[in-house]
Amino acid sequence: MNGLVLKLAPGERLLVNGAVIENGDRRVRLTLLTPGAHVLRLRDAIHPHEVNTPVRRVCYIAQMAVAGEAGEAEAQRQLILGVNQLLAVFDDSESILALRGALAHVEEARFYPALRALRTLLPTEERLLNP
């Protein structure tokens, strides 16, 4: 059986095609069979008031695309611009690798893997901004 496998903790919430779904009091494993469904774990979500750094801004754009709240073409345009701006700033090999990976995913409109790659930069950005 193919599809997106979701393993949810008790009480965990996720957004599926704009609807918030909350798990009950037990762990559960679900398989989402519909291709192209917009799924976002709310525990991983960046809230609008938290979008206060360059990496968080780019992550938020990717998150909006994952949630289906941003048009694909516009999200791609903004993400390509944002990732390229970050590539001009980050100079360590690990960050550059993550950014290039994110850019490759964005170019294929694969926003969730792009978001995952971008989120790996958050600790590095935190260290740079708050030495």
Side-chain angles (χ1 to χ4, degrees):
M1 181 185 307
N2 291 333
L4 175 65
V5 176
L6 301 167
K7 296 176 183 175
L8 303 176
E12 186 171 0
R13 293 180 179 180
L14 63 145
L15 185 72
V16 179
N17 289 344
V20 176
I21 298 171
E22 183 175 40
N23 187 26
D25 59 357
R26 295 187 181 163
R27 288 183 132 332
V28 69
R29 180 176 179 243
L30 302 171
T31 303
L32 191 62
L33 299 176
T34 303
H38 299 288
V39 179
L40 177 67
R41 287 179 185 269
L42 293 182
R43 72 175 181 201
D44 296 333
I46 296 172
H47 299 280
H49 68 275
E50 298 172 329
V51 181
N52 53 9
T53 67
V55 173
R56 285 181 174 274
R57 183 183 64 80
V58 176
C59 284
Y60 189 72
I61 295 166
Q63 175 181 298
M64 297 303 285
V66 168
E69 296 181 20
E72 184 177 304
E74 182 62 17
Q76 277 182 302
R77 187 189 70 73
Q78 287 185 28
L79 284 166
I80 289 169
L81 177 65
V83 170
N84 283 322
Q85 289 172 345
L86 293 174
L87 276 167
V89 175
F90 284 88
D91 60 1
D92 63 288
S93 59
E94 189 175 312
S95 296
I96 291 169
L97 188 62
L99 286 165
R100 286 185 180 155
L103 191 56
H105 289 305
V106 168
E107 289 169 349
E108 297 173 2
R110 298 182 65 230
F111 298 114
Y112 185 73
L115 176 60
R116 287 183 52 206
L118 290 165
R119 287 182 67 86
T120 65
L121 298 170
L122 291 171
T124 303
E125 181 185 51
E126 180 68 27
R127 283 193 304 276
L128 291 172
L129 294 176
N130 300 309

